[in-house]
Amino acid sequence: MTHILPLPDFTHERVEVTTGPRSGLFVAVALHSSTLGSALGGARLWRYPHWSDALGDVLRLSSAMTLKNAAAGLDAGGGKAVIALSPEDALDAGRRRDAFLDLGDVVESFGGRYRTAEDVGSTTDDMLVVSERTTHVVGLPDSVGGSGEPAGPTSIGVYEAIRATLERSTGSAEVAQRRITVSGLGQVGSRLALRLAAEGAVLTVTDVNPAKRDLALQLEARWVEPGNEHLIDADVFVPAGIGGLLTDSVIDALAARAVCGPANNPLATRSGADRLAARGILYAPDFVANAGGVIYLDLEAKSRGTRAEIMDRVAGVGETMRRVFDAAAASGVTPLVAAEEIAGERLRARADDPALPV
């Protein structure tokens, strides 16, 4: 399901849009900011009602990556790529390969100011195809010495963010017996649901793919039809699919004490953060909660620490979220505003002193 979201302000350094010469598909790369260093953000392969929706998505996602990487303490700017399929497009293996070769050419044209990686709809094998056209790609398969699939680290970071959110909203970070609703059982959502179930959470789950019912059975979780999951009483509502789920009407009916999940841009409008606060629902900003994957990819690519040290940084997402909640409470603002300010502080410091190491 694709939710049509409003266009963000255009504050990007560079945006390239092309019709892939091999695939004939819409390919876009948006570099939002390289203030903190070479931008890092994944390549999304998705179906959109119209090419303009894909363009809006890449603009929103790239600007969110600037905030994500800055708030996570990375020396990395924000960027994103989108390969858009129409609702009618067929994508066989040959055309898929062509699409990622096309993407590689566009990434290469940025001269290293943007690095791409796997994202929704793409895989580490797709990144291997991209690497035939550019070296500015991370997250290659383990089989070729790459860092592999980032969904695991992303889910670990979100898990720690959920614990921080529970601690703030209920007084305890313990997951056992907490009612948690997971909306979206993709690579990150399914990993997260498995861990939450193993630790005794009372799960409700849903996905637009009805085949995911099998996972619900495996987890002994309650299954609800997509579109109804926000009506289930929960301690934490976990948006784990495509952005824009939290519209005004969904927020007004949301039966949860808190929201924390891996979905990018879950708020249909920025004012949704205020709407949640007005209802007494704690909102954990998405670009803080879901930073585990990009932390892992960036530090692995730069060889900054052992694997164990890097995974400790990933788990530190929980502490970053606690910092956000503390700052919000101290300033009397929403956690979204507090998180944006934390990211903004790093961006302003680098802009004021560009000689700082990257």
Side-chain angles (χ1 to χ4, degrees), residues 96 100 118 122-130 139-141 143:
R96 184 184 188 103
F100 284 97
E118 178 220 347
S122 64
T123 68
T124 56
D125 287 334
D126 294 323
M127 295 306 105
L128 191 58
V129 175
V130 172
L140 299 181
S143 60

Side-chain angles (χ1 to χ4, degrees), residues 169 229-234 237 246-259 271-283 334-335:
S169 60
E229 63 269 33
H230 63 292
L231 303 175
I232 306 301
D233 287 338
F237 181 80
L246 295 172
T247 62
D248 286 351
S249 61
V250 168
I251 290 171
D252 289 346
L254 183 61
R257 299 174 69 169
V259 174
S271 62
D274 297 307
R275 204 174 189 97
L276 286 165
R279 291 203 56 218
I281 299 172
L282 180 64
Y283 178 63
T334 66

Side-chain angles (χ1 to χ4, degrees), residues 16 18 38 42 71 79 93 125 185 203 208 211 248 259-260 267 287 306 317:
E16 290 290 331
T18 186
S38 172
D125 287 334
L185 296 173
L203 285 184
V208 293
D248 286 351
V259 174
C260 178
L267 297 173
F287 61 85
T306 65
V317 166

